[in-house]
Amino acid sequence: MSVLRFLRLAFLAGALFVLLGATAPAQAQDSRDRAIGVCVLRDTGGMRPAELLRHPERFDCTTQQYRLGPGDYWAITQPIDAASTAERPLRINFASLWQQRLSAYLLYADGRIHRYQSDARGITPLIQLGAMAALPVPRSEAKLSRILWHVEGAANVRGILLGAERSDVQRNATTNLAMAALYACFGGMCLALIVYNFALWCAMRYNFQLHYCALLAMLIGYALSSSGAMAWFWPDLVNNDRLRCNYLFLGLAGGCAAMFTRSFFEIRRSRLVDIYTRVIAVAVPVSGITVFLFGGFNLRFTDMFYTLTILGLVSIVVPTLWQAWVQRSHFLWLFSVAWSAPIVLAMMRIMANLHLLPWSFWLDNSTVLSMMFEALVSALAVAYRIKFLRDERDEAIASEVLARRLADTDPLTGLLNRRAFLAQAIGRPGAQQLLIADLDHFKRVNETLGHDGGDEVLRLFARALRTTAPADALVARLGGEEFAVLATASAPIEPEQLLNKLRQTRMPFDLKVTASIGACTGPLADDRDWKALYRCADIALFEAKSAGRDRARARREAA
């Protein structure tokens, strides 16, 4: 997937956030208009619903619910005064909380009481998308006056009965459709990113890619449980078990996020920060598993442990960003943008868990929106990181090739050096022709032109050898002004061609430069053959110099 496509997706996500930001105030105002106040009373046993409905003044309307502790409670609504008709069936929405059983007694204006009793599944049959429960109000000509709730086994970590509001079938259906679109978009995006990044991991094998895939997989599980869709897919699921899964998946996602953060940055962490990150990466999943296994025994304690580990997860960000900024990480800005919304909303969720902020339906469902934005921008960050890794790999390959070339090449002339020449020459099959060329009176050339001029003469002579020799021939500078050319005996090189090429090459200051060449033919299977062939060609070179230089001599096949 290209970077441009990721930018388009990020733009669409931004547009979605703008749309939600524009509509949320109106929806929040509408929710406040439909809100129903609730007062609570601890169940001391032997209380009769009809008697409690006649005496609502016995209920506590001022104490915050979570302060009353766990147990069994009665909760009564403020006057509702709304009718449920065939044209507009009434629904009473309320938040899904940790509780064993729920009963509702609906009091109508004509004095009739209708009872709803949940089974062992709790409020699972009432769950809507967004994890709100919707209690259907039977149709009646008389208006609904109040509702009395009996909540058994309330953990009362957030409250006993929260978020009660009037609604109807059409409104709930519209909300379900909107939430289904949101969660389907989130799930589809996560699946696509998992497939994309896992395919990249199969090719590149970087740990942060696997951590990112695991993070997305856990977020899909979290979205499935927190949205209430899990109750739709498994109607027999106990609602408290759905909440357990919610804790579990978010805890595992937090651990994956910590490991992704640790492995994604190319920075060198201090030992203390690295140990702290590892501890949090283990503690957050452990806290989720603890709530999943032991939340039914003491949810308050396990929930507090869970909240503190999430707070520790958020605290990782500060030292990580600081060290990334100090070390000038390339990915700091992308990480900051991607995790800004989840961090802010995580802090708000923590404050709500610590009862510093009131419960809110939008806050409960904000995690999916923030993680959708994070997943998009993190995907862009992953693509950006892979681009850097690819560039680093290409640079390393180019450096390695260059290093090998420099190790095998004479730096002055660009020809093979003696070591590389012997490595490629010895072991060539069949008879080989070796030519050794030596510039005549090169000491005088240096004295006349200086060492820079002498180096230029060597470069020009090397170019003449390279352009005259066949493509499959080996051309090397053995040292000083001595050069070697090796070709197969079946396609020998005419030494006079090399000499003519040198004579036609224009030298600095039109200085006349000549060379002598000695040639010999023989096998070159091993080092012994090389010594014999070289000695034979060297003798021929000596004969050429003795005969007056600027000429070539050849000897018979080396013994």
Side-chain angles (χ1 to χ4, degrees), residues 13-25 27:
L16 177 62
F17 273 94
V18 171
L19 179 61
L20 289 173
T23 58
Q27 292 173 337

Side-chain angles (χ1 to χ4, degrees), residues 391-410:
D391 293 343
E392 290 175 356
R393 180 200 61 192
D394 293 345
E395 184 178 352
I397 292 174
S399 299
E400 183 180 359
V401 171
L402 180 60
R404 289 180 179 178
R405 185 175 299 173
L406 290 175
D408 295 342
T409 304
D410 174 59

Side-chain angles (χ1 to χ4, degrees), residues 444-556:
R444 296 180 186 175
V445 173
N446 276 333
E447 292 173 351
T448 304
L449 301 179
H451 287 287
D452 290 340
D455 290 345
E456 181 62 20
V457 169
L458 291 175
R459 281 192 289 266
L460 291 172
F461 182 51
R463 185 186 304 169
L465 293 178
R466 190 168 49 240
T467 56
T468 307
D472 60 344
L474 300 180
V475 184
R477 182 188 178 196
L478 299 182
E481 64 272 19
E482 186 179 47
F483 296 81
V485 181
L486 185 70
T488 59
S490 59
I493 301 173
E494 179 57 48
E496 284 297 329
Q497 292 182 358
L498 298 179
L499 293 176
N500 289 333
K501 182 67 176 180
L502 177 60
R503 295 181 188 116
Q504 296 169 7
T505 301
R506 185 175 181 180
M507 294 295 175
F509 300 100
D510 292 329
L511 183 69
K512 183 179 180 181
V513 178
T514 61
S516 300
I517 297 177
C520 189
T521 303
L524 200 50
D526 52 29
D527 189 64
R528 176 185 291 182
D529 289 342
W530 160 252
K531 291 179 179 179
L533 187 62
Y534 178 79
R535 187 165 186 271
C536 175
D538 190 57
I539 293 173
L541 174 63
F542 179 76
E543 292 174 352
K545 287 185 174 291
S546 299
R549 294 185 172 83
D550 191 20
R551 65 201 62 211
R553 289 290 184 266
R555 292 180 63 84
R556 291 179 300 174

Side-chain angles (χ1 to χ4, degrees), residues 385-450:
R385 175 72 192 277
I386 290 174
K387 174 185 178 298
F388 269 87
L389 291 172
R390 183 199 63 192
D391 293 343
E392 290 175 356
R393 180 200 61 192
D394 293 345
E395 184 178 352
I397 292 174
S399 299
E400 183 180 359
V401 171
L402 180 60
R404 289 180 179 178
R405 185 175 299 173
L406 290 175
D408 295 342
T409 304
D410 174 59
L412 179 62
T413 61
L415 301 179
L416 294 175
N417 57 27
R418 185 185 186 91
R419 183 191 61 80
F421 176 76
L422 293 179
Q424 298 183 38
I426 296 177
R428 284 172 62 129
Q432 304 292 318
Q433 180 196 36
L434 175 64
L435 281 74
I436 298 179
D438 188 271
L439 290 173
D440 297 329
H441 304 298
F442 187 70
K443 183 178 179 181
R444 296 180 186 175
V445 173
N446 276 333
E447 292 173 351
T448 304
L449 301 179

Side-chain angles (χ1 to χ4, degrees), residues 247-309:
Y247 279 99
L248 176 64
F249 283 120
L250 190 56
L252 294 175
C256 294
M259 293 306 299
F260 172 70
T261 302
R262 181 178 176 274
S263 59
F264 178 74
F265 280 105
E266 78 288 10
I267 60 175
R268 298 181 302 276
R269 288 176 175 80
S270 67
R271 181 174 178 80
L272 184 62
V273 172
D274 190 60
I275 294 176
Y276 180 61
T277 303
R278 288 174 180 267
V279 170
I280 293 298
V282 173
V284 176
V286 167
S287 67
I289 295 172
T290 301
V291 177
F292 182 80
L293 296 177
F294 308 109
F297 299 102
N298 192 332
L299 184 62
R300 284 187 166 234
F301 174 78
T302 55
D303 181 79
M304 181 57 66
F305 173 48
Y306 179 83
T307 300
L308 293 177
T309 57

Side-chain angles (χ1 to χ4, degrees), residues 367-394:
T367 302
V368 172
L369 285 174
S370 64
M371 294 311 297
M372 180 184 295
F373 180 74
E374 181 279 328
L376 283 172
V377 182
S378 290
L380 182 60
V382 169
Y384 191 44
R385 175 72 192 277
I386 290 174
K387 174 185 178 298
F388 269 87
L389 291 172
R390 183 199 63 192
D391 293 343
E392 290 175 356
R393 180 200 61 192
D394 293 345

Side-chain angles (χ1 to χ4, degrees), residues 12-157:
L12 291 176
L16 177 62
F17 273 94
V18 171
L19 179 61
L20 289 173
T23 58
Q27 292 173 337
Q29 180 63 42
D30 182 59
S31 179
R32 284 193 294 269
D33 293 341
R34 295 182 287 109
I36 304 173
V38 175
C39 304
V40 296
L41 176 67
R42 182 178 286 276
D43 183 8
T44 57
M47 296 179 172
R48 292 181 297 175
E51 181 70 18
L52 294 174
L53 283 168
R54 286 194 296 269
H55 297 282
E57 70 277 1
R58 297 175 57 183
F59 288 77
D60 185 355
C61 301
T62 57
T63 305
Q64 292 179 318
Q65 295 182 13
Y66 73 89
R67 294 183 181 276
L68 301 176
D72 298 343
Y73 288 90
W74 295 91
I76 194 168
T77 66
Q78 298 295 336
I80 297 176
D81 194 30
S84 180
T85 63
E87 295 78 15
R88 197 178 183 87
L90 185 63
R91 296 288 185 270
I92 302 299
N93 295 342
F94 57 96
S96 169
L97 300 173
W98 192 293
Q99 53 196 222
Q100 298 298 331
R101 196 180 297 271
L102 179 74
S103 302
Y105 300 87
L106 289 74
L107 175 64
Y108 290 89
D110 58 4
R112 183 168 54 90
I113 297 177
H114 175 81
R115 182 188 179 190
Y116 169 82
Q117 175 70 52
S118 69
D119 54 23
R121 298 173 297 169
I123 61 172
T124 294
L126 306 180
I127 291 295
Q128 307 294 300
L129 288 182
M132 290 290 286
L135 177 67
V137 178
R139 288 174 290 182
S140 174
E141 293 182 359
K143 291 185 177 181
L144 179 67
S145 297
R146 290 180 186 269
I147 299 179
L148 177 68
W149 314 84
H150 189 211
V151 182
E152 301 177 51
N156 198 12
V157 175

